[in-house]
Amino acid sequence: MFAAGDKVLIVACEDDPRAAGRTGRIVDQVPPGPLTAGRWTVTGIGLLIGPVLCHTQELAKTGP
């Protein structure tokens, strides 16, 4: 499970495939629900890539 501020590696991303292989930070304060279809919000990926929504299995925790 992830928490807000966790640094993650985006292994794959259905929302934006350009994000795959990059790192970012989890934004969500609570586990994702129906509004995001169970996907986590990840930001800080790159200058040309905005926040993306990723399923749990598309992410790997890399640090606090």
Side-chain angles (χ1 to χ4, degrees):
M1 199 52 90
F2 301 106
D6 284 351
K7 189 173 180 182
V8 294
L9 170 66
I10 302 169
V11 178
C13 183
E14 184 180 324
D15 188 41
D16 189 343
R18 299 176 302 155
R22 298 176 181 255
T23 58
R25 293 210 179 267
I26 297 289
V27 174
D28 306 296
Q29 297 287 334
V30 296
L35 182 62
T36 62
R39 298 177 294 175
W40 295 93
T41 307
V42 183
T43 191
I45 302 163
L47 292 175
L48 300 176
I49 302 175
V52 296
L53 296 172
C54 298
H55 294 281
T56 301
Q57 66 270 19
E58 295 177 324
L59 302 172
K61 196 170 181 179
T62 62

